[in-house]
């Protein structure tokens, strides 16, 4: 666990441990939840499908492609315990493979139409 006060900046870094210098990291999805399980009932999207959903989110420069740095402002779910669980999904791609997910950026998927 990592302890932080509400409204304080939370800085995170993801590091790919690999001897291959031709790999790059991409943060696809980062979701907060009041439970440690992969719950989809109550979540808060920080990033979803590469699209920033939290206005306090920001990326930071990294001198290496295999290190990803970002931050957002800490919060808690008002009706639950003060604990927030974070689940992030990262994608590893080949550098300069412009057809890979890492280079597609934000993907806004249209909502499906409800059928009768």
């Amino acid at each position: 666990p990592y302890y932080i006060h509400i409204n304080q900046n939370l800085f995170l870094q993801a590091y790919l441990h690999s001897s291959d210098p031709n790999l790059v990291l991409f943060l696809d999805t980062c979701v907060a939840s009041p439970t440690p399980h992969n719950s989809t009932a109550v979540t808060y999207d920080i990033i979803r499908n590469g699209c920033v959903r939290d206005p306090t989110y920001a990326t930071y420069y990294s001198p290496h492609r295999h290190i990803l740095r970002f931050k957002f402002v800490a919060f808690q779910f008002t009706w639950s315990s003060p604990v927030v669980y974070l689940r992030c999904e990262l994608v590893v791609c080949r550098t300069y493979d412009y057809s890979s997910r890492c280079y597609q950026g934000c993907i806004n998927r249209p909502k499906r139409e409800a059928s009768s």
Side-chain angles (χ1 to χ4, degrees):
Y2 186 79
Y3 299 95
I4 189 167
H5 297 287
I6 294 175
N7 294 325
Q8 192 175 7
N9 282 328
L10 178 60
F11 297 93
L12 295 111
Q13 175 174 290
Y15 180 87
L16 176 63
H17 295 276
S18 173
S19 59
D20 187 344
N22 296 313
L23 297 178
V24 63
L25 274 177
F26 176 72
L27 181 59
D28 182 71
T29 298
C30 205
V31 178
S33 172
T35 63
H37 310 292
N38 192 8
S39 171
T40 56
V42 177
T43 59
Y44 175 74
D45 292 349
I46 296 164
I47 294 182
R48 174 74 67 176
N49 298 320
C51 304
V52 175
R53 302 290 188 211
D54 184 308
T56 68
Y57 172 87
T59 58
Y60 285 91
Y61 170 77
S62 171
H64 307 285
R65 290 183 288 254
H66 62 278
I67 297 176
L68 214 160
R69 295 175 177 162
F70 62 99
K71 72 100 181 164
F72 63 93
V73 173
F75 66 94
Q76 83 177 60
F77 293 94
T78 56
W79 44 265
S80 69
S81 74
V83 177
V84 174
Y85 295 89
L86 191 62
R87 182 179 51 86
C88 296
E89 297 173 12
L90 292 96
V91 180
V92 179
C93 304
R94 288 256 167 231
T95 305
Y96 308 118
D97 178 2
Y98 298 112
S99 63
S100 70
R101 176 67 188 100
C102 296
Y103 292 93
Q104 293 173 359
C106 173
I107 297 177
N108 276 320
R109 294 189 172 116
K111 294 186 178 183
R112 294 182 185 156
E113 186 177 315
S115 59
S116 56

